[in-house]
């Protein structure tokens, strides 16, 4: 609650690491979040909370396909825009991030799934529709104990 109310761009991601135990944040988020943190802190915390508390449990649930899985998340969490399994752009290189696996080796992970941050915390006063994103990977058992990997929080890639 207070993380969203009193955001500090310099410590936001390290604080998120404390409160969201099922998520692992790539270091690049320390910089990329600065572009949107001023107008989106509550919305970011809300979406990370859904990933941490709700989506993390989806590993134990069966879905007919990825699209249904993300549509279910959108509906269960009452998100203003659909979560998506794949981005419409073909910028795979922009969505691939290096994470260290349990053997200490760098592993390239593509974070296609994303949550959309479309409305600032000032909505409805701020009626602009934004294209900001939280790009993530559902997790791999050999990286950060299988936690959801957050590759990017910021402007649309």
């Amino acid at each position: 609650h207070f993380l969203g109310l009193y955001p500090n761009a310099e410590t936001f991601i390290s604080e998120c690491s404390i409160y969201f135990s099922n998520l692992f944040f790539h270091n690049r988020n320390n910089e990329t979040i600065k572009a949107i943190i001023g107008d989106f802190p509550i919305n970011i915390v809300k979406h990370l909370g859904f990933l941490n508390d709700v989506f993390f449990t989806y590993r134990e649930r069966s879905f007919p396909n990825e699209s249904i899985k993300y549509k279910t998340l959108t509906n269960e969490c009452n998100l203003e825009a659909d979560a998506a399994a794949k981005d419409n752009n073909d910028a795979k290189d922009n969505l691939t991030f290096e994470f260290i696996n349990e053997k200490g080796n760098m592993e390239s992970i593509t974070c296609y799934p994303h949550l959309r941050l479309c409305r600032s915390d000032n909505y409805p006063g701020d009626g602009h529709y934004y294209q900001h994103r939280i790009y993530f990977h559902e997790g791999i058992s050999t990286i950060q104990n299988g936690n959801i990997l957050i590759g990017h929080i910021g402007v649309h890639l």
Side-chain angles (χ1 to χ4, degrees), residues 68-138:
I68 298 293
K69 180 190 298 187
Y70 291 99
K71 183 71 112 176
T72 302
L73 176 69
T74 299
N75 291 334
E76 283 184 15
C77 298
N78 196 28
L79 300 176
E80 70 268 359
D82 287 344
K86 266 200 158 181
D87 203 299
N88 290 333
N89 67 31
D90 295 320
K92 181 178 178 181
D93 289 344
N94 290 339
L95 304 175
T96 301
F97 312 101
E98 297 290 320
F99 290 90
I100 300 173
N101 64 25
E102 64 187 16
K103 294 181 180 179
N105 299 322
M106 296 300 276
E107 197 167 326
S108 295
I109 304 296
T110 302
C111 297
Y112 273 128
H114 60 274
L115 299 178
R116 294 180 173 112
L117 301 170
C118 302
R119 302 282 183 204
S120 77
D121 294 349
N122 302 315
Y123 181 79
D126 174 5
H128 184 78
Y129 189 85
Y130 294 89
Q131 297 292 328
H132 303 326
R133 302 282 194 265
I134 298 175
Y135 288 98
F136 65 96
H137 186 280
E138 294 184 21

Side-chain angles (χ1 to χ4, degrees), residues 14-156:
S14 63
E15 292 293 316
C16 285
S17 297
I18 295 168
Y19 297 113
F20 302 114
S21 60
N22 294 320
L23 308 180
F24 178 78
F25 298 85
H26 193 282
N27 285 337
R28 73 187 305 279
N29 287 299
N30 289 311
E31 292 302 316
T32 62
I33 200 166
K34 289 178 182 177
I36 67 169
I37 192 68
D39 292 325
F40 287 82
I42 294 170
N43 213 356
I44 293 168
V45 169
K46 177 178 98 171
H47 282 74
L48 292 175
F50 291 138
L51 281 177
N52 188 76
D53 301 337
V54 179
F55 190 76
F56 191 77
T57 66
Y58 279 30
R59 294 181 202 197
E60 293 128 27
R61 295 172 61 183
S62 178
F63 295 92
N65 59 50
E66 292 291 302
S67 182
I68 298 293
K69 180 190 298 187
Y70 291 99
K71 183 71 112 176
T72 302
L73 176 69
T74 299
N75 291 334
E76 283 184 15
C77 298
N78 196 28
L79 300 176
E80 70 268 359
D82 287 344
K86 266 200 158 181
D87 203 299
N88 290 333
N89 67 31
D90 295 320
K92 181 178 178 181
D93 289 344
N94 290 339
L95 304 175
T96 301
F97 312 101
E98 297 290 320
F99 290 90
I100 300 173
N101 64 25
E102 64 187 16
K103 294 181 180 179
N105 299 322
M106 296 300 276
E107 197 167 326
S108 295
I109 304 296
T110 302
C111 297
Y112 273 128
H114 60 274
L115 299 178
R116 294 180 173 112
L117 301 170
C118 302
R119 302 282 183 204
S120 77
D121 294 349
N122 302 315
Y123 181 79
D126 174 5
H128 184 78
Y129 189 85
Y130 294 89
Q131 297 292 328
H132 303 326
R133 302 282 194 265
I134 298 175
Y135 288 98
F136 65 96
H137 186 280
E138 294 184 21
I140 298 172
S141 63
T142 58
I143 299 176
Q144 296 299 319
N145 299 315
N147 284 347
I148 294 170
L149 305 173
I150 308 298
H152 176 81
I153 303 172
V155 299
H156 186 280

